[in-house]
Amino acid sequence: MSGYPMPPPPPGQQQRGFPPPPGGAMPPPPPGPGGAMPPPPGQNQFGRAPMPPPPGQQFQQPPPPQQQQQQHQPPQQRMMMPPPPGQPNRGGMMPPPPGAGGRGGPPAPGSAGAGFGAPGGPPPPAPHPRSAPMPGAPRPPMGGMPPPPGQPLMPGAPMGAPRPPQMGGMPPAPHVPGHPQPQRPPATNPQQGGSLNQAMGNMNLGGGPPPPGAPKQFGGAPFQQQQQPPQPAPVPGQPRMFTPNAGAPPPAAPMPGQPQPGAPMPGAPMPGAPGMGAPGMGAPGMAAPGAGGPDIFQENIDYSIQVPKSILSLTSKYIPTSANMGHQCKVPLGAVIRPLAPAGDGEVKVVQPGAAGIVRCKRCRTYINAFVTFLENGRRWRCNICSQMNEVPAPYFCHLDEEGRRRDKDARPELSEGVVEYIAPSEYMVRPPQPPSYFFVIDVSVTSVRSGMLKSVAKAISNSLDSLPGSPRTQVGFLTYDDSVHYFSLKSGLSSPQMLVVADLVELFVPAPDDLLVNLQESREVIDVFLENLPTMFEKNTSQNACLGPALKAAFTVTKHIGGKMCVFQSVLPTLGDGALAPRENVSIMGTPDEVKLLRPAMNWYKDTAVEFSRAQISVDMFLFPRAYIDVASLAELPKITAGTLHTYPGFNYDVDGPRFESELCRGLTQHTAFEAVMRIRCTRGMRISNFYGNFFVRGTDLLALPNCTSDSVFAFDLVHDEPNVTSSVVTVQSALLYTSSEGERRIRVVTQAIPVSSLASEIIGSVDADTVTALLAKQALDIGIKSNLDNARGKLQQACVELIRASKEGDRPRTVSGYAAPPPMHGQQQGGPEGESKPIPDNLKLLPLYTLALMKNVAFRGGTDVHPDERVHAIQRLTGMDVLNSKHFVYPRMFSLHDMSPSAGLPSNMAPTDDDAVRVAGQDRIELPTVLNLTVDRLSSSGIFLLDNGIDTFLWVGRSSDPAILNSLFGTNSLEGVNMMEVKLQTSGNDFASRLNAIVSALREDNTPHNLAAKVTIVREGDHGLESRFFWHMIEDSASFNGGTFSYDDFVQFVSSGGQGGPPGPPGPRGPPNMPQGPPGPPGPPGPPGPPNMNQGPPPPMGQRAPPPMNQGPPPPMGQGPPPPMNRGPPPPMPPQQSQGPPPPGPPPGGMPGPPMPSQGFNPQGPPPPHQPPSGGMAPPPQQQYGRGPPGPPPPAGGMAPPPPAMGGMPPPPPPGGMPPPQYGRGPPPPPPQYR
């Protein structure tokens, strides 16, 4: 029988009908034990030829000379070339190069080959007993051929579809005695070079995966049995796992005819085929999933190497071993990454590449890291992303120790640290590194001048010039605009800047382009003169319009050759030239599913402009100062796509908002900034990155373009299973940020983290980080909300929480049907019945329901008609770019009790650092914090003073009966009754109490960077309905009045614990639930976010005369004469019907839902502890001073219904123009006035 492959059968003739070869048919061999047929000549029991020996070694039993003569060539030279890309292997596998054996070396004496040779080669002397076929087991049909009669196709396999490669190649069809085995003729791969030498050069010792386009070889990775559908019992003596350096023989091939769970479905793209994953998102050109799905490759990993949590925070410390396991666990896999965050313990180590350069994988371009495996005494290393075997460059070579690790591991940061930074050579540069450039585009309309914005901008820039990165190479430029564009020539040697005005917004041109962007050090004097005169330069300006679009085009023309950072300051809606926007605020759709239209851009001009900016390496930081509707949704496209930031300051006042704005601008200008950056995230094959979140522009499929990347830049991504099973015991995630530093160096920051794989649901769920899950779920829900509507976003949050808590109670009890995992039970079919509901929530997930409820009531997600679209878009943008810690504080703010704080609060702590430092201390000086309280009105008391901070806004709530001595220390007066709150100033020094409070507020804004922010403290007096209603938004543990927010914390915990059965409680009836606390009656109108789109109200008064009116509504009435005017004129839309995520009950259940505790009871110690302290850590106010019902509000009109109380967490809708509050459907009369004792 010839050793050459036979040609394929003629069209229409099946394999079994081949005519016998010349000379007659071969007699059938005698049956073996149990009736099994022995392998035909030239094949082992799996239809493969034995592996040729390495040079210098001999076969244990050489093949007969007659057979060698028939083959016309030595057996060592016979091999099959890999098929073309996307073409399955139909006959066998390519043998390894000389000197390369299977996974553990050359075949053991007396054993069959490793499965690399083509069928028909020299047979072994006898089948190895370890790998003998099971008696009577059918053989699967050859790939691409129809199955034998009576044998079904694999599910979903079309007739004639290519079969997936099984372990070491597809076994042949059942052999018919007397007929030869047809073989596919060897073919060359033109994409792989088409040469035998190149094909051999791509083969690796240890069985690394084949090159793109080649079928997967068995031996690419050892495997370990995992939980899978029932499989036939393994053959006795079969090894189940071994390490890369072990010399054990490879495990036997799978049982013939047994479908492999890890194999791809027929018809799936083969390795290297177009569409097989995006480059870099997993492994470019990765091999197809191995057929040995239940087996796992065991890596020798040092898990003590961890990336600081401030840089990379994972949702779980384990990865499910299969997609079914991941579906069972319900854990949202992913991470939040802040690549340039300070490392915490020390500086990131910098690596200067030597003669070998930067060592990377030749296939997927992964950077060598601490989790790769070295083989052949250090001469090769296996990529932990795509399993490719790579040669170690000679200058980089080092011997291994007895544990298989390099002896110089500790001396090389890239092999011993999770975060490392390379100094990139010239091949990583598209152009020479550019100097840092800062260009300022400033709105100088009358609104900007009179509000004090122009003065504050000039002051902040002037204070930042000495600290701008990149000195002495830094370049600076300025441009102003109103109804025309103003250029400023800042050429060195001028005594004062020269202003060049271009009024033609259509045929815009740039005069003197060489003098508009100048070196800061050379032109410092003229720049200082410009900033000094800027606040008064336009004080007589009367233009109320702004041509933002033409100004952006002019700035782009000036800076496109160099890139850099562009700061845009805008006060009014742009209405001139390109990018002109029209007011589109529509009160009638607020609070409805159509509200999402106001959260999307009105036009594509700003998106298209942002894409051009990103290609020119220009990042835009936008600062908005609206006094009316300004369409933040459209303007936000600029910072979103160019990797910038968005800041808004509604109703800007120089004295109140100036310090906060100036600190944020100075931080943005002087912090660590990476220019001309790109980032790619890779993960081990079997997993892939499915979504990215943050501010960036995606080039191709997975390359994030970041013109600027600062120490505050945060990104997130979802990690999903790309294959049914993960074929390694560890999954590695690596991010690489290539950027230009402010000093002009091209650098690469590489972050690598190894995550173990687990098959236990309890182990996976037990390692979940609730804070990171909350941050990732928020970003996922925001994406859903913008694409669909906010109701779906809140539903996503609720569903994710319910499913994860339910899965945590099920533990390691998978539901199986016929050996396969089944979906979780439906509502009303909870597994385990009441036993599952009675199980407690795991400790690591106890705060997840609280954070989920807080997210649903956050300004970014909450329903109702009291959230202005501009305010909501700003919250969405800020939450998208927040890291884990800031997200937690923004979602669940911290509230402190000040009137009874300990004498040491506000002073540096002398206690040793502990794990709960985030609760007890804050700031770089470790300032001790007061007691943290739960966010419920039950914690407030009229005799107390409370501080609430969410990282952006800070509120100081002052009760009516507060201690006069404390009031005098903070405000210089013994009482706030009858005082105009616009004139009240919070003292920061002069006495012990004020100094300690100022230290606490400052510490809450400090972090581990040298650029700290100033806080804006809003003083809320008890009874001031406008500000107090905004303060009550943050009382998330109480019920709210908007759709989907009627859950109190106790209600939501019960809803989650019951597996999501039922729906949210409906609006209270005439009497209400027995334990539902009634907050203070709400005002007749909402507070003052930006008002209706009326652009003719005129600019604010000049500075120094009085505080500007809030949001274009005219001067506010004096305090005490009534509530502030409503923001949204016109009658409100009717409240939408209550919608629930489950079948809602027709009304409150009999007996009522267990609500929050009564005012006299304080916090319920039986519920989960608050997020910042144990249950017993808080100190409840005395029952006599409990703020359980709130102050008496204005009496309801005769015959009317009172609006819902804002203390319930929500805002009432605005009143009709006539002043009568709208009827509240389903709500009874207001509660009686509270009785204070």
Side-chain angles (χ1 to χ4, degrees):
M1 172 176 161
S2 174
Y4 286 102
M6 296 296 294
Q13 187 171 4
Q14 294 187 357
Q15 179 182 350
R16 295 175 181 265
F18 268 61
M26 298 178 60
M37 299 296 294
Q43 298 182 5
N44 57 18
Q45 67 275 19
F46 298 111
R48 307 187 185 111
M51 179 182 59
Q57 299 185 16
Q58 297 292 333
F59 278 107
Q60 298 298 327
Q61 291 188 7
Q66 180 181 1
Q67 187 172 5
Q68 294 190 15
Q69 293 178 5
Q70 294 178 359
Q71 295 172 0
H72 303 288
Q73 61 174 350
Q76 289 84 353
Q77 298 180 4
R78 288 186 301 102
M79 73 172 50
M80 290 189 63
M81 294 299 297
Q87 180 69 27
N89 187 6
R90 300 177 183 268
M93 298 299 295
M94 184 172 56
R103 289 181 296 177
S111 65
F116 293 104
H128 198 279
R130 195 197 320 263
S131 55
M134 295 192 64
R139 297 181 183 272
M142 176 176 291
M145 298 297 296
Q151 182 176 348
L153 283 169
M154 293 181 64
M159 183 67 67
R163 306 287 291 179
Q166 307 263 338
M167 304 175 64
M170 178 63 64
H175 174 65
V176 179
H179 296 276
Q181 290 280 27
Q183 301 294 333
R184 182 179 179 84
T188 59
N189 190 342
Q191 297 183 5
Q192 297 292 338
S195 67
L196 180 62
N197 294 332
Q198 291 182 0
M200 294 182 62
N202 287 328
M203 302 200 60
N204 310 302
L205 179 67
K216 181 171 180 179
Q217 306 169 8
F218 178 64
F223 300 96
Q224 177 186 5
Q225 182 72 26
Q226 292 294 323
Q227 294 183 1
Q228 293 294 334
Q231 302 284 343
V235 180
Q238 178 181 348
R240 295 313 301 162
M241 72 173 64
F242 56 87
T243 56
N245 294 326
M255 292 301 136
Q258 173 66 34
Q260 296 299 315
M265 296 302 297
M270 294 301 293
M276 186 59 184
M281 299 176 61
M286 69 179 70
D295 299 326
I296 288 185
F297 177 56
Q298 296 296 314
E299 296 278 4
N300 187 12
I301 299 298
D302 183 5
Y303 290 109
S304 64
I305 302 176
Q306 293 289 320
V307 176
K309 197 171 181 180
S310 60
I311 297 179
L312 180 67
S313 182
L314 299 166
T315 58
S316 175
K317 295 180 181 178
Y318 291 91
I319 297 294
T321 186
S322 65
N324 286 336
M325 176 63 66
H327 180 74
Q328 173 189 343
C329 295
K330 301 297 183 182
V331 176
L333 299 178
V336 178
I337 183 172
R338 186 180 168 193
L340 291 182
D345 298 337
E347 295 294 331
V348 176
K349 296 183 179 180
V350 180
V351 177
Q352 176 68 55
I358 300 178
V359 182
R360 302 179 64 180
C361 175
K362 63 184 179 181
R363 173 186 294 175
C364 67
R365 306 304 294 161
T366 296
Y367 294 83
I368 196 169
N369 54 79
F371 309 108
V372 302
T373 303
F374 288 91
L375 300 173
E376 295 189 42
N377 198 24
R379 293 183 177 86
R380 283 186 167 188
W381 62 278
R382 184 195 302 274
C383 176
N384 53 343
I385 298 294
C386 69
S387 299
Q388 172 70 26
M389 293 294 298
N390 299 273
E391 299 288 343
V392 175
Y396 200 78
F397 173 78
C398 180
H399 289 281
L400 306 182
D401 59 13
E402 60 278 0
E403 296 181 357
R405 300 177 180 176
R406 286 175 60 110
R407 298 184 182 275
D408 63 345
K409 176 182 178 181
D410 296 334
R412 292 189 176 274
E414 69 272 20
L415 300 182
S416 57
E417 301 287 341
V419 184
V420 70
E421 196 158 277
Y422 291 95
I423 298 179
S426 58
E427 56 263 26
Y428 289 85
M429 303 178 188
V430 178
R431 62 178 181 178
Q434 302 296 308
S437 169
Y438 296 87
F439 201 81
F440 302 94
V441 183
I442 308 171
D443 174 15
V444 293
S445 62
V446 63
T447 304
S448 301
V449 177
R450 293 190 179 183
S451 66
M453 181 270 280
L454 205 57
K455 178 180 178 181
S456 190
V457 167
K459 180 181 177 181
I461 296 175
S462 180
N463 294 337
S464 304
L465 290 180
D466 292 332
S467 302
L468 289 180
S471 180
R473 304 165 56 247
T474 308
Q475 296 191 359
V476 176
F478 296 88
L479 183 147
T480 61
Y481 63 97
D482 43 22
D483 52 7
S484 58
V485 179
H486 319 133
Y487 301 90
F488 293 90
S489 176
L490 304 173
K491 186 177 181 179
S492 61
L494 295 177
S495 58
S496 61
Q498 296 179 354
M499 184 170 69
L500 309 173
V501 181
V502 177
D504 189 353
L505 303 181
V506 178
E507 300 294 336
L508 193 68
F509 67 96
V510 179
D514 298 334
D515 301 333
L516 303 179
L517 189 63
V518 297
N519 183 273
L520 173 61
Q521 188 173 8
E522 297 175 356
S523 303
R524 180 62 185 269
E525 295 181 1
V526 66
I527 292 175
D528 289 338
V529 172
F530 168 77
L531 293 174
E532 182 179 355
N533 296 328
L534 181 60
T536 59
M537 190 181 303
F538 298 94
E539 60 183 3
K540 296 183 180 180
N541 189 8
T542 59
S543 175
Q544 300 185 17
N545 300 320
C547 57
L548 176 60
L552 291 174
K553 292 173 61 177
F556 175 77
T557 305
V558 175
T559 60
K560 64 181 179 180
H561 69 285
I562 189 174
K565 181 184 289 290
M566 182 183 298
C567 297
V568 179
F569 307 90
Q570 178 79 13
S571 294
V572 297
L573 187 74
T575 55
L576 298 177
D578 293 335
L581 297 171
R584 59 185 181 119
E585 185 181 17
N586 188 353
V587 180
S588 63
I589 65 175
M590 293 176 60
T592 69
D594 290 337
E595 182 184 359
V596 71
K597 297 178 181 179
L598 302 178
L599 310 180
R600 299 170 182 164
M603 57 190 308
N604 291 330
W605 188 89
Y606 289 95
K607 179 180 180 180
D608 297 338
T609 302
V611 172
E612 294 298 324
F613 276 44
S614 178
R615 292 172 178 169
Q617 302 295 339
I618 301 173
S619 178
V620 178
D621 286 352
M622 181 160 282
F623 299 84
L624 303 178
F625 308 85
R627 309 189 71 81
Y629 179 73
I630 199 173
D631 201 352
V632 179
S634 298
L635 301 179
E637 292 294 298
L638 283 169
K640 179 181 179 181
I641 295 178
T642 62
T645 57
L646 174 68
H647 306 266
T648 62
Y649 309 89
F652 180 82
N653 179 276
Y654 176 78
D655 297 325
V656 178
D657 302 284
R660 172 189 165 192
F661 159 68
E662 293 169 14
S663 66
E664 291 181 349
L665 178 57
C666 291
R667 179 187 177 106
L669 294 176
T670 59
Q671 64 185 342
H672 180 205
T673 304
F675 300 91
E676 301 179 304
V678 291
M679 185 173 70
R680 175 174 276 125
I681 303 177
R682 301 174 172 91
C683 64
T684 301
R685 67 175 183 180
M687 307 293 295
R688 66 179 176 89
I689 310 297
S690 61
N691 293 298
F692 296 96
Y693 306 99
N695 293 347
F696 51 81
F697 176 68
V698 180
R699 297 182 189 171
T701 56
D702 67 330
L703 186 65
L704 307 186
L706 311 172
N708 282 180
C709 183
T710 68
S711 56
D712 290 335
S713 298
V714 177
F715 311 94
F717 58 89
D718 294 331
L719 196 62
V720 299
H721 285 79
D722 194 38
E723 299 176 2
N725 298 278
V726 179
T727 57
S728 178
S729 62
V730 62
V731 169
T732 306
V733 175
Q734 182 182 89
S735 73
L737 179 73
L738 173 64
Y739 70 96
T740 300
S741 67
S742 57
E743 292 78 17
E745 283 185 332
R746 198 69 172 157
R747 292 195 171 193
I748 309 171
R749 175 165 292 199
V750 180
V751 178
T752 311
Q753 182 63 66
I755 315 169
V757 173
S758 175
S759 60
L760 297 177
S762 59
E763 188 175 40
I764 298 170
I765 298 176
S767 67
V768 169
D769 186 343
D771 295 348
T772 308
V773 168
T774 303
L776 185 62
L777 285 178
K779 301 177 193 306
Q780 293 176 353
L782 289 174
D783 189 57
I784 294 175
I786 296 299
K787 293 179 179 178
S788 57
N789 57 66
L790 295 178
D791 290 337
N792 292 340
R794 292 191 295 267
K796 159 69 176 179
L797 295 172
Q798 180 174 294
Q799 179 185 5
C801 178
V802 169
E803 290 181 346
L804 182 54
I805 297 301
R806 182 170 56 201
S808 68
K809 294 184 177 183
E810 293 178 357
D812 296 322
R813 297 182 301 172
R815 301 177 67 249
T816 58
V817 177
S818 301
Y820 291 89
M826 302 294 292
H827 295 316
Q829 300 177 359
Q830 179 76 14
Q831 183 175 357
E835 179 184 356
E837 298 181 9
S838 62
K839 281 188 176 182
I841 299 176
D843 292 340
N844 62 315
L845 297 179
K846 281 186 176 180
L847 295 179
L848 183 62
L850 181 65
Y851 291 154
T852 303
L853 182 65
L855 267 177
M856 295 167 60
K857 298 182 179 181
N858 186 268
V859 65
F861 295 100
R862 67 182 293 117
T865 61
D866 53 350
V867 182
H868 194 274
D870 285 349
E871 182 180 12
R872 193 188 297 276
V873 173
H874 174 250
I876 291 174
Q877 294 297 320
R878 294 299 294 267
L879 188 57
T880 301
M882 282 184 176
D883 61 358
V884 175
L885 183 61
N886 290 329
S887 295
K888 181 178 71 172
H889 293 158
F890 181 67
V891 170
Y892 192 91
R894 290 173 288 183
M895 187 170 69
F896 307 96
S897 176
L898 300 181
H899 57 282
D900 56 355
M901 63 180 179
S902 63
S904 60
L907 301 176
S909 175
N910 54 7
M911 294 181 291
T914 59
D915 294 338
D916 60 344
D917 275 358
V919 179
R920 299 186 300 106
V921 299
Q924 299 177 358
D925 296 333
R926 304 185 73 250
I927 300 298
E928 186 173 339
L929 298 177
T931 303
V932 181
L933 305 178
N934 301 88
L935 296 180
T936 173
V937 294
D938 296 333
R939 284 298 196 176
L940 303 179
S941 64
S942 294
S943 62
I945 300 178
F946 302 87
L947 181 72
L948 186 142
D949 177 75
N950 68 352
I952 297 179
D953 300 315
T954 304
F955 297 90
L956 186 65
W957 189 90
V958 182
R960 282 197 182 98
S961 305
S962 300
D963 188 352
I966 297 179
L967 295 179
N968 189 47
S969 300
L970 296 179
F971 311 111
T973 180
N974 294 333
S975 175
L976 295 181
E977 293 296 331
V979 177
N980 185 2
M981 297 302 295
M982 300 292 293
E983 300 176 357
V984 175
K985 304 296 182 184
L986 180 64
Q987 300 181 16
T988 59
S989 60
N991 58 80
D992 176 70
F993 197 92
S995 299
R996 290 195 291 149
L997 176 58
N998 182 63
I1000 293 172
V1001 174
S1002 300
L1004 293 176
R1005 287 293 183 271
E1006 291 182 3
D1007 53 16
N1008 51 3
T1009 62
H1011 314 284
N1012 297 321
L1013 302 176
K1016 173 190 174 182
V1017 181
T1018 302
I1019 303 172
V1020 181
R1021 179 178 56 187
E1022 182 182 2
D1024 290 347
H1025 302 301
L1027 292 176
E1028 196 174 40
S1029 299
R1030 182 62 59 93
F1031 175 81
F1032 286 142
W1033 276 7
H1034 303 283
M1035 301 292 105
I1036 58 96
E1037 297 187 27
D1038 299 327
S1039 296
S1041 58
F1042 63 87
N1043 179 30
T1046 55
F1047 281 115
S1048 67
Y1049 176 55
D1050 292 336
D1051 295 336
F1052 192 70
V1053 170
Q1054 181 178 356
F1055 174 78
V1056 171
S1057 299
S1058 63
Q1061 299 183 16
R1071 302 182 60 181
N1075 293 333
M1076 184 66 68
Q1078 298 293 339
N1094 188 350
M1095 305 300 295
N1096 301 320
Q1097 292 285 342
M1103 291 178 52
Q1105 295 183 8
R1106 59 173 296 171
M1111 300 312 298
N1112 205 25
Q1113 290 296 326
M1119 304 304 294
Q1121 296 185 7
M1127 289 304 304
N1128 301 323
R1129 301 176 181 177
M1135 293 296 293
Q1138 295 291 335
Q1139 298 178 358
S1140 60
Q1141 299 301 323
M1153 296 287 291
M1158 292 296 291
S1160 60
Q1161 295 175 351
F1163 175 68
N1164 183 7
Q1166 296 181 358
H1172 307 292
Q1173 64 180 19
S1176 59
M1179 180 177 295
Q1184 292 81 4
Q1185 300 177 353
Q1186 199 72 2
Y1187 191 81
R1189 295 180 179 271
M1201 301 301 249
M1208 305 304 288
M1211 285 291 299
M1220 292 290 292
Q1224 298 296 315
Y1225 303 103
R1227 183 176 294 274
Q1235 300 294 329
Y1236 293 99
R1237 301 177 181 176

